[in-house]
Amino acid sequence: MGLNPSPPQPEVLPPEGQYVSPPVPPPRPRRRWASAPATYTLVGINCAVFLAMVSHGVSAFSPSVDQIMHWGADNAGNVLIYGEWWRIVTAMFVHVGILHLATNMWCLWNLGLLAEPLMGSFGLFAAYILTGAAGNLLSTLYNWLRPIHDGSNILFPAGAGASGAVFGIAGVLIILLKSKRLPVPQFELKRLRKSVIYFAAINLAIGFSINIGTNVIGSGLRIDNWAHLGGFSYGLLFATPLVPRIGSSRSVFQMRMRLAIAAMVMLLVLFGFYISHLLPPQS
C-alpha cells in the first residue's frame, strides 16, 4: 500500500512484508479476461504506466520525487497552488518502485475479482476512480494543512499509488457482502466479509503504527493513511445505495448504480471546491 518516506523520498514506498494480504476469492473455474475485464484492465493500466516510466529512465526500485511528479504523482502544492487537479486521478496509476506496484496489484487483483461479479465491470471501474480520487483529495487536504517544515521552507510530500482505491474497493465489499440477496451460504458470506474487514483494519493499524514510530524516531517511512481512510470511507458510502448485481433485477441494480455514482461525483466536486478555497498553510 502507499508509503511516505521522509523528504526527499516520496511518501508511498512500501516496506517489504508490512502488509496483510487481502482475502483470496474462493476457488472457481478458470476464467478468461472477459469474465472480469475491469479488474484486469485496471491492473494492466497500472503495469503499463510503470513499464512506461521505467522505459523512460525512471528507477524500477527507487524513483526520485521529480520522476514520480513528472508522471503524475499528487502534491498539495501543485494541486492547490498551480491548479493541477488532474493529479488527483493520475496519482492512483503511478507507483514508487516495483515492490510498491506488486503489493498494490496483488491486493487489487484479489479484491477486484471478488467485487466485480457483485457490482459489474462499470461499477468496479467507477469505484476505483471515485474512491481513489477521494483518498487523494483527503491526503491533499491533510498535507496542505499539515505541511512539512524545513527551516523557513514549507514542503508538500509527493503521493502516488493505487492503495486509496484498493481500500475503497474493500469498503464496497464490506457493504455488499452483507446482502441477503446473494445466492451464497450465509456462513461463506460472513467468512469473506470478515476477511475483508480484517484486511482493512489490520493494514490501517499497521500504517498508523509505522507513522507513530517514525515520529518518535524522527526519520523513516511514512504511510499515507489519509489516502487509505479517504478511499475506505468513500467506498462504504458508495456501496450504501447499491444492491449486489447478483440476486437483484437488472433495472433495480442499474438505477441504484446511477444514483450512487451521481451522489459520489457530487460529493467529490463539493469536497474539491471546499479544498480549493482554503487559506494558505501557516508557515
Side-chain angles (χ1 to χ4, degrees):
M1 316 302 291
L3 301 185
N4 173 20
S6 298
Q9 298 297 321
E11 75 175 277
V12 290
L13 184 61
E16 186 175 4
Q18 289 290 343
Y19 294 96
V20 175
S21 296
V24 179
R28 63 191 71 191
R30 295 185 64 181
R31 290 173 173 266
R32 297 178 299 173
W33 175 87
S35 64
T39 299
Y40 289 109
T41 298
L42 288 169
V43 171
I45 292 173
N46 278 279
C47 292
V49 170
F50 182 76
L51 290 175
M53 292 170 63
V54 173
S55 68
H56 284 78
V58 177
S59 171
F61 295 96
S62 184
S64 68
V65 172
D66 288 341
Q67 287 176 330
I68 65 169
M69 287 299 297
H70 175 76
W71 283 87
D74 185 25
N75 179 280
N78 286 70
V79 171
L80 296 179
I81 296 175
Y82 299 111
E84 297 174 355
W85 288 90
W86 48 268
R87 293 183 180 274
I88 297 298
V89 174
T90 58
M92 69 183 77
F93 295 100
V94 177
H95 286 84
V96 188
I98 193 168
L99 291 178
H100 185 211
L101 174 72
T103 302
N104 278 339
M105 292 306 98
W106 171 251
C107 295
L108 174 60
W109 184 71
N110 281 288
L111 293 174
L113 289 181
L114 192 59
E116 191 163 351
L118 302 180
M119 58 191 313
S121 299
F122 179 74
L124 180 67
F125 198 88
Y128 181 94
I129 297 297
L130 293 173
T131 61
N136 287 338
L137 277 175
L138 185 60
S139 176
T140 298
L141 173 62
Y142 176 80
N143 289 323
W144 180 256
L145 297 177
R146 297 288 300 275
I148 298 171
H149 294 272
D150 181 19
S152 59
N153 296 322
I154 295 178
L155 303 177
F156 300 105
S163 55
V166 168
F167 270 90
I169 294 172
V172 169
L173 280 169
I174 288 173
I175 298 297
L176 293 187
L177 288 174
K178 195 175 182 180
S179 174
K180 299 186 183 300
R181 293 174 176 264
L182 298 173
V184 180
Q186 284 300 308
F187 74 89
E188 180 69 14
L189 289 178
K190 289 181 180 179
R191 183 188 66 81
L192 288 173
R193 188 168 183 266
K194 185 179 295 185
S195 296
V196 178
I197 292 173
Y198 285 164
F199 161 76
I202 293 175
N203 282 310
L204 285 173
I206 290 174
F208 280 105
S209 298
I210 292 176
N211 283 1
I212 291 173
T214 297
N215 290 335
V216 172
I217 297 173
S219 63
L221 299 171
R222 290 184 182 275
I223 296 179
D224 192 356
N225 293 302
W226 296 102
H228 298 173
L229 282 172
F232 181 71
S233 301
Y234 218 68
L236 295 174
L237 287 175
F238 179 74
T240 297
L242 291 180
V243 294
R245 186 180 68 169
I246 299 175
S248 64
S249 69
R250 184 179 182 88
S251 60
V252 171
F253 171 77
Q254 291 181 339
M255 182 272 292
R256 294 199 176 192
M257 176 62 71
R258 289 193 293 267
L259 173 64
I261 292 176
M264 295 302 101
V265 169
M266 184 177 298
L267 283 177
L268 276 179
V269 171
L270 291 175
F271 190 26
F273 182 80
Y274 165 74
I275 294 175
S276 68
H277 286 76
L278 291 175
L279 294 174
Q282 297 296 318
S283 60

